Amino acid sequence: MEKKDVVLENVTKKFGDFVAVDDISFSVKRGEFFSLLGPSGCGKTTTLRMLAGLEKPTKGKIYIGEEDVSEVAPFERPCNLFFQNVALFPHMNVSENIAFGLEMKKLPKSEIEKRVKELLDVVGLPGFEKRRTKELSGGQVQRIGIARALARRPRVLLLDEPLGPLDLKLREEMMIELKRIQKVVGTTFVYVTHDQGEAITMSDEIAAMKEGRIIQIGSTEELYNKPRTAFVAEFIGRSNLIRGRYREGKVNLNNLNKSIITGPHKVADNDYVAVCIKPERISIGEDIANLDNVFEAVIEEVYFRGAQINYKVLMEGNYKISILEHYKGKIFEQGKKLKIGWEKEDVHLSET
Amino acid sequence: MSISNKILKLIRKSEKLSIGMQLSPAMFWIVFFLLIPLGILVIYSFWEMVGTRLIPVWDLRNYVDVFTRVGGMYIRLFVKSLAMSALVTVGSIALAYPVAYFVSLRIEKYKYTWLILLMGPYLVCWVILVLGWKMVIGYSGLLNYLGQLLGLISEPMSWMWNNWWAVVFILIMGWAPWLVLPMFVSLEKIDKSLLEAAADLGAKPMKRFLRITLPLSSPGLLVATFFVLIPTFGEFVTPALAGGSRGVMYGNAIDASFTSMMAWPFGSALSIFLMIISLIVATILIRIVGLEKLMESL
Amino acid sequence: MLRYIFRDIGEKGFKFYFFLFIAVIYLPLVLLVVFSFNDSILMGFPWRGFTLRWWEQFLHNPTALGVVKNSFIVASVAAVVSTALGLLAAFVLVRHIFRGKNLITYSIMLPMLFPGIVVGISILIFLRSVLNIKLSLFTIMIGHILFSLPYVTLILMARLIGFDRSLEEAAYDLGASEFTTFRRITLPLIMPGIFVALFIAFTISLEDVVIAHFLAGAQATIPVFVYGQLRRWSGLPMVMAISAFMIMIMAVLLIISLISARRRY
Ligand SMILES: Nc1ncnc2c1ncn2[C@@H]1O[C@H](COP(=O)(O)OP(=O)(O)OP(=O)(O)O)[C@@H](O)[C@H]1O
Ligand SMILES: [Mg+2]
């Protein structure tokens, strides 16, 4: 069996009567990049804070390494947290910030200096030692925050939306950077985000959270291709969802007296399901009759994105469908009536 | 694990214990040097003093005395002091408000330097301030000297010193510098674009002031009232130095009962009236403005 | 057209009023300092020439010097103790939620809600008739600590409300114990607030005459001493020298706070 660095068993956290984290369990393998993904307020920060020891679980057990850490104070835990608001110490400069955790370890001065320099190299900001925290740009603040959290060489690094406040371009650069840092230091990362793009790009494994519960845990591909529920499907990969009732390899649609051919699935007959189809699996055109499923549609909006075109169409039965197509020198115009379709293999069924 | 570590662990575990431990010094001070003494004050107001001995007679004679002694002089003094306090409050706020307004809306650079400069005279103790004002409005003060020098008056103007007017004047001048700050704080809070918006909608300057600036700065006015009104109720230093016999206030009566007359029970009864009125005013003002506003103004 | 002229006058009038206000509130203090060098046994006009007599009298008078020393001892002790008490209380009041919190907040604010005279006399009768303690500098300190406690607590609470707690959590997370976190993170960051609190408590004590008047025994503080002299208007110009001295102390304190304000704003 592989070594687990983090294990949560039936952890619940209540604030008064409000349940912020509801009976969640998961484990993270050594050296893995694990993401907690979910919308704002679903309890991601609370979960991380319990791991860091800043919040006590109301119920359940937390292990870091093999050790039960319920009674271990935050400053004795082998993990470090990157705070959602970074929380750099404003009265210290960059090197003092990074060195803080090392001083607490009572390392000799020369060793601390050496490590600070190394860490600044790792986060790509060499020579920033004497900068004051006020003199850093947004992206630099995030990087120094990461360096500070990495300084003690924690067994587990907990990151709370470290890329949240950055603009798109910087965010994309930092994603690559973070993944690189993780490879260099080989630490286990528990990464919190509400951005599916970040989670998909970097993670080995993702736990999708909603209202304090974990809805699905799995590899990135699993969550992308086989979302267990409609929520996961919408959140990850922006699947199109069409709701209906499953019966013998078909789903009879709610709004439309037609059905989608899905082939046999492990779903009981007459169950309500959501048919998920990824935007990039749908074909669009005037003549696509050879597909398993073909419907009439009207183009409502067209977004040209260079290599790709994104069509928002209204399918018969009033379903709004998003379609991604490679640009091959042809664009359909808004208001055009045409057909859309997909094969039964491209369909996945989720719980509604 | 060392003992101190163990104790730390214990404290960390029991939130109640640590709350209690941190609050107890301050609460001890409040209970022991304020609440208990106030309780004793209340008790003594029902007693009697013969010579230097306190006798527990437990009756209301001191309270009756407040109303009847010397033909009701004390209760008249009480009312007069309230009126004087109100006048001082209105006067000092009126003097300070334009200054706060000027600093907040007209000065751009070094606002805080000017503010600290404005507060300066308040940092000097009242006794010295009164002495200073004697140098201005006293018999041998600046005004009388200049008046005589210029031949405007032949002898010192006696109406300027040793009466209630001098007391009110000095109190107003003494409080005004301190009141700039709370009013400045609430004026600063006003979104300047509101005024621009009002001007844009065609409001004339006066109207703009009455409809927007004044109402929005009212928390500052209330905090200022709180700062002046309560200490002025109990004022005895200024009247003793600048009021002569016609300028005495209620505070002087209390002072005298404890220092020169040795009439503690009667003095206690007098104080209780003062206590009640200040508590009522303070509670109302704090209810309206809230502790946060008070905090900002310090 | 007329409107603009009026507005111009209004603007100028404002400025004029502002500077007049400053001039008027400083006038008595300036006169006091100047006339402490006046060669006349009467306090006041006219100017009869320069002398250092009154300052010499003051600086050679053991009572007066003792009084100055007393004032500084009392003010320093009162400032430190009330700031310490206020700091502990402010921490709890800002950071914890517990039953009776409002009641406790209100009771710490109580000394501010009464005129000083009530505070002074109630402590006086308690100390004299119940505890039978003789009045001394110590009793003045008791009164001053009590009286400055609400101001100090409010100032520190305001600072703590604005304090970002995740900084402390970050320190715990990086291996600092509670004590180390307090010393390395919390204390340095609230230090400006503590200085303001000390400054206010020190000034309250140094300038107070109301409470000290009731609680002073044989040893007085400067304001009580000056008050005693003035009650008789005994015409001692030495009092003016002491007052001028106090004004100068105020000026120094003011300059210190101006400099520290410059640094902050
Ligand atoms: N100390 C607290 N007291 C009471 N409720 C809290 C506390 N901390 C968090 N909550 C509540 O718990 C829920 C989960 O909060 P949490 O901070 O974990 O969300 P999150 O998933 O990190 O959201 P975001 O993406 O916005 O950061 C929220 O509804 C929040 O209001
Ligand atoms: Mg969060």
Side-chain angles (χ1 to χ4, degrees):
Chain A
M1 207 181 98
E2 272 175 289
K3 277 232 161 84
K4 305 274 202 237
D5 254 357
V6 176
V7 178
L8 272 81
E9 280 176 4
N10 307 95
V11 172
T12 297
K13 176 71 191 177
K14 289 185 189 170
F15 293 111
D17 285 338
F18 178 76
V19 187
V21 171
D22 193 0
D23 191 27
I24 65 172
S25 306
F26 64 80
S27 59
V28 183
K29 293 185 207 89
R30 153 96 25 112
E32 192 177 46
F33 197 119
F34 184 91
S35 288
L36 282 169
L37 175 64
S40 185
C42 71
K44 306 180 299 281
T45 298
T46 308
T47 309
L48 271 203
R49 287 171 58 83
M50 286 192 287
L51 277 168
L54 298 170
E55 216 81 69
K56 243 188 151 66
T58 316
K59 257 194 274 164
K61 281 213 154 49
I62 297 178
Y63 300 88
I64 294 175
E66 271 82 53
E67 190 187 7
D68 177 355
V69 291
S70 339
E71 292 301 318
V72 182
F75 47 85
E76 286 156 352
R77 293 196 184 193
C79 54
N80 285 117
L81 173 62
F82 174 96
F83 285 74
Q84 192 163 5
N85 65 351
V86 196
L88 289 184
F89 304 128
H91 58 305
M92 300 182 187
N93 65 23
V94 165
S95 73
E96 286 166 336
N97 261 287
I98 300 176
F100 187 85
L102 299 171
E103 276 175 49
M104 296 302 124
K105 266 191 164 169
K106 306 233 160 52
L107 292 187
K109 253 210 159 79
S110 54
E111 171 74 15
I112 292 179
E113 264 171 42
K114 207 180 100 217
R115 281 237 215 146
V116 169
K117 209 167 161 333
E118 275 171 23
L119 283 157
L120 283 173
D121 285 340
V122 168
V123 295
L125 293 173
F128 269 62
E129 281 93 344
K130 292 286 164 280
R131 282 283 186 102
R132 296 168 53 108
T133 52
K134 279 192 203 107
E135 303 163 351
L136 298 172
S137 76
Q140 289 165 347
V141 166
Q142 308 299 107
R143 287 174 199 226
I144 300 299
I146 291 167
R148 187 180 72 176
L150 275 172
R152 287 165 63 90
R153 303 204 173 134
R155 187 163 183 161
V156 181
L157 182 66
L158 311 168
L159 295 139
D160 197 350
E161 308 207 17
L163 310 185
L166 304 182
D167 64 48
L168 191 67
K169 185 161 169 295
L170 196 56
R171 188 137 83 191
E172 277 167 0
E173 280 171 23
M174 286 288 290
M175 278 190 231
I176 298 166
E177 192 81 342
L178 260 181
K179 193 72 193 173
R180 181 184 66 80
I181 292 172
Q182 198 229 359
K183 285 217 178 92
V184 171
V185 295
T187 306
T188 307
F189 276 34
V190 177
Y191 187 93
V192 155
T193 180
H194 61 254
D195 183 285
Q196 53 117 7
E198 284 175 26
I200 290 173
T201 310
M202 295 184 284
S203 317
D204 300 317
E205 218 173 353
I206 300 179
M209 281 185 80
K210 184 191 181 189
E211 289 163 8
R213 296 215 182 89
I214 289 183
I215 307 295
Q216 186 175 7
I217 303 184
S219 71
T220 313
E221 228 186 330
E222 253 169 55
L223 261 77
Y224 187 80
N225 287 328
K226 299 199 165 60
R228 202 168 67 73
T229 71
F231 164 76
V232 179
E234 262 179 325
F235 209 77
I236 298 172
R238 310 236 152 74
S239 298
N240 295 297
L241 294 177
I242 302 173
R243 283 162 227 271
R245 240 171 148 169
Y246 178 78
R247 190 172 189 125
E248 294 166 357
K250 279 184 191 168
V251 173
N252 301 313
L253 302 187
N254 289 352
N255 301 5
L256 189 64
N257 199 8
K258 279 192 181 175
S259 53
I260 294 176
I261 300 163
T262 62
H265 275 259
K266 278 193 215 137
V267 181
D269 276 358
N270 288 327
D271 266 6
Y272 284 101
V273 294
V275 181
C276 315
I277 317 126
K278 297 284 170 204
E280 65 271 20
R281 301 284 178 87
I282 303 179
S283 308
I284 183 165
E286 282 145 308
D287 183 29
I288 46 174
N290 55 345
L291 295 173
D292 293 339
N293 297 290
V294 176
F295 293 91
E296 305 278 332
V298 182
I299 298 186
E300 288 201 312
E301 289 160 62
V302 185
Y303 297 98
F304 181 57
R305 295 210 178 125
Q308 285 181 321
I309 311 165
N310 184 200
Y311 295 104
K312 307 274 183 202
V313 306
L314 195 63
M315 190 182 102
E316 44 184 320
N318 256 345
Y319 294 104
K320 282 197 191 328
I321 303 289
S322 168
I323 300 166
L324 271 181
E325 199 179 49
H326 281 293
Y327 178 54
K328 292 177 201 120
K330 192 175 95 182
I331 298 185
F332 295 112
E333 272 167 25
Q334 193 175 345
K336 186 162 178 67
K337 281 193 188 142
L338 36 59
K339 294 201 169 76
I340 60 172
W342 56 87
E343 299 283 9
K344 64 174 190 282
E345 289 78 23
D346 293 331
V347 166
H348 172 77
L349 295 191
S350 304
E351 295 167 23
T352 53
Chain B
M1 195 195 292
S2 72
I3 302 236
S4 69
N5 251 345
K6 267 190 190 152
I7 294 172
L8 254 175
K9 276 252 156 89
L10 195 74
I11 294 171
R12 203 183 294 148
K13 273 216 179 114
S14 161
E15 197 191 351
K16 276 204 187 110
L17 190 68
S18 84
I19 288 178
M21 276 183 28
Q22 291 185 61
L23 276 177
S24 52
M27 284 317 285
F28 167 80
W29 222 269
I30 296 286
V31 171
F32 209 66
F33 296 122
L34 184 70
L35 297 182
I36 293 179
L38 286 177
I40 289 166
L41 190 80
V42 173
I43 292 174
Y44 283 177
S45 71
F46 299 105
W47 288 16
E48 201 189 348
M49 200 166 187
V50 177
T52 55
R53 269 189 42 242
L54 286 156
I55 302 161
V57 292
W58 298 110
D59 59 21
L60 289 173
R61 76 180 66 175
N62 296 312
Y63 289 93
V64 175
D65 276 356
V66 172
F67 287 94
T68 58
R69 204 184 263 188
V70 208
M73 182 193 92
Y74 287 97
I75 199 69
R76 266 185 280 128
L77 198 57
F78 183 71
V79 175
K80 179 184 158 195
S81 297
L82 288 190
M84 281 168 77
S85 306
L87 198 60
V88 169
T89 308
V90 173
S92 50
I93 288 180
L95 276 194
Y97 191 89
V99 177
Y101 186 85
F102 183 80
V103 178
S104 169
L105 284 100
R106 292 292 184 279
I107 289 189
E108 259 141 46
K109 261 195 196 160
Y110 305 128
K111 276 188 188 185
Y112 290 88
T113 309
W114 283 111
L115 274 180
I116 291 176
L117 206 62
L118 279 163
M119 273 161 49
Y122 180 76
L123 298 182
V124 174
C125 88
W126 276 109
V127 179
I128 291 171
L129 212 58
V130 176
L131 182 60
W133 279 107
K134 191 174 189 242
M135 295 291 308
V136 180
I137 58 171
Y139 297 130
S140 47
L142 178 68
L143 291 183
N144 278 317
Y145 175 71
L146 282 181
Q148 280 168 313
L149 201 68
L150 299 174
L152 298 174
I153 48 172
S154 55
E155 53 187 79
M157 297 175 278
S158 58
W159 57 267
M160 286 205 302
W161 192 253
N162 266 351
N163 51 33
W164 70 273
W165 175 243
V167 174
V168 169
F169 176 75
I170 293 176
L171 285 171
I172 288 178
M173 295 313 293
W175 278 115
W178 180 240
L179 302 187
V180 173
L181 188 62
M183 294 189 285
F184 167 82
V185 170
S186 64
L187 281 168
E188 270 303 86
K189 284 262 168 67
I190 299 177
D191 187 354
K192 301 294 183 300
S193 58
L194 274 181
L195 293 175
E196 280 158 21
D200 191 49
L201 294 171
K204 297 239 171 62
M206 202 54 205
K207 195 142 212 169
R208 237 153 49 202
F209 175 75
L210 288 176
R211 295 288 299 278
I212 296 171
T213 316
L214 194 60
L216 285 176
S217 62
S218 59
L221 296 180
L222 291 173
V223 173
T225 307
F226 175 82
F227 279 155
V228 186
L229 201 52
I230 291 172
T232 310
F233 282 157
E235 183 63 45
F236 69 93
V237 171
T238 315
L241 296 179
S245 54
R246 285 162 296 163
V248 281
M249 289 177 75
Y250 195 66
N252 298 90
I254 297 179
D255 175 32
S257 346
F258 284 94
T259 50
S260 49
M261 279 162 50
M262 287 309 274
W264 288 13
F266 180 61
S268 303
L270 289 176
S271 312
I272 288 193
F273 281 91
L274 191 58
M275 233 170 84
I276 290 172
I277 193 103
S278 343
L279 258 189
I280 293 174
V281 171
T283 311
I284 292 174
L285 284 177
I286 289 193
R287 269 282 147 75
I288 302 177
V289 293
L291 225 47
E292 290 77 31
K293 285 274 163 15
L294 219 55
M295 261 184 232
E296 288 165 2
S297 312
L298 279 173
Chain C
M1 188 65 217
L2 214 56
R3 226 171 70 204
Y4 288 102
I5 293 176
F6 270 125
R7 205 177 67 185
D8 207 37
I9 292 174
E11 288 295 306
K12 288 236 169 71
F14 248 134
K15 206 174 210 163
F16 177 72
Y17 178 78
F18 175 70
F19 288 111
L20 183 70
F21 183 85
I22 293 185
V24 170
I25 59 177
Y26 275 96
L27 175 67
L29 306 180
V30 173
L31 284 179
L32 257 188
V33 175
V34 172
F35 276 75
S36 69
F37 299 103
N38 187 15
D39 194 3
S40 156
I41 50 163
L42 292 171
M43 292 192 288
F45 283 84
W47 178 257
R48 295 205 188 281
F50 180 85
T51 182
L52 286 174
R53 247 194 308 166
W54 316 123
W55 279 86
E56 271 165 23
Q57 259 186 28
F58 161 45
L59 294 173
H60 289 118
N61 184 329
T63 320
L65 288 182
V67 161
V68 171
K69 200 177 106 198
N70 292 344
S71 262
F72 278 87
I73 294 174
V74 170
S76 312
V77 173
V80 170
V81 175
S82 67
T83 304
L85 299 188
L87 189 61
L88 283 173
F91 260 105
V92 175
L93 293 178
V94 170
R95 297 195 165 179
H96 294 271
I97 296 167
F98 52 94
R99 239 177 343 126
K101 180 168 151 178
N102 279 341
L103 191 70
I104 285 182
T105 313
Y106 192 73
S107 54
I108 290 181
M109 296 309 135
L110 266 184
M112 197 169 69
L113 310 188
F114 297 117
I117 189 171
V118 175
V119 177
I121 54 161
S122 57
I123 299 181
L124 171 75
I125 58 173
F126 176 60
L127 293 177
R128 294 295 293 126
S129 70
V130 179
L131 298 183
N132 214 356
I133 292 176
K134 268 180 69 182
L135 298 179
S136 63
L137 291 185
F138 184 65
T139 53
I140 305 179
M141 289 172 197
I142 289 179
H144 284 174
I145 292 165
L146 181 76
F147 200 62
S148 40
L149 189 59
Y151 296 96
V152 165
T153 310
L154 276 181
I155 289 166
L156 292 168
M157 279 173 75
R159 294 289 156 139
L160 286 174
I161 287 173
F163 188 92
D164 179 4
R165 291 212 62 186
S166 60
L167 294 173
E168 289 174 350
E169 291 175 341
Y172 293 146
D173 185 67
L174 292 169
S177 64
E178 275 101 339
F179 179 70
T180 313
T181 303
F182 182 75
R183 194 170 54 83
R184 294 283 309 269
I185 308 294
T186 320
L187 201 57
L189 287 173
I190 56 170
M191 216 50 201
I194 293 180
F195 277 128
V196 173
L198 282 172
F199 177 80
I200 298 261
F202 188 83
T203 327
I204 287 178
S205 170
L206 196 64
E207 312 297 353
D208 167 71
V209 59
V210 176
I211 292 173
H213 167 69
F214 294 105
L215 298 180
Q219 294 200 298
T221 57
I222 303 172
V224 174
F225 177 74
V226 174
Y227 182 62
Q229 298 287 326
L230 290 185
R231 279 289 287 279
R232 282 169 261 131
W233 288 116
S234 50
L236 265 181
M238 190 188 81
V239 172
M240 293 191 65
I242 301 179
S243 306
F245 173 72
M246 283 291 274
I247 292 170
M248 287 169 182
I249 290 176
M250 178 278 286
V252 171
L253 289 177
L254 205 64
I255 289 167
I256 293 175
S257 45
L258 273 180
I259 292 170
S260 61
R262 264 287 161 74
R263 221 182 292 144
R264 263 186 291 145
Y265 300 107

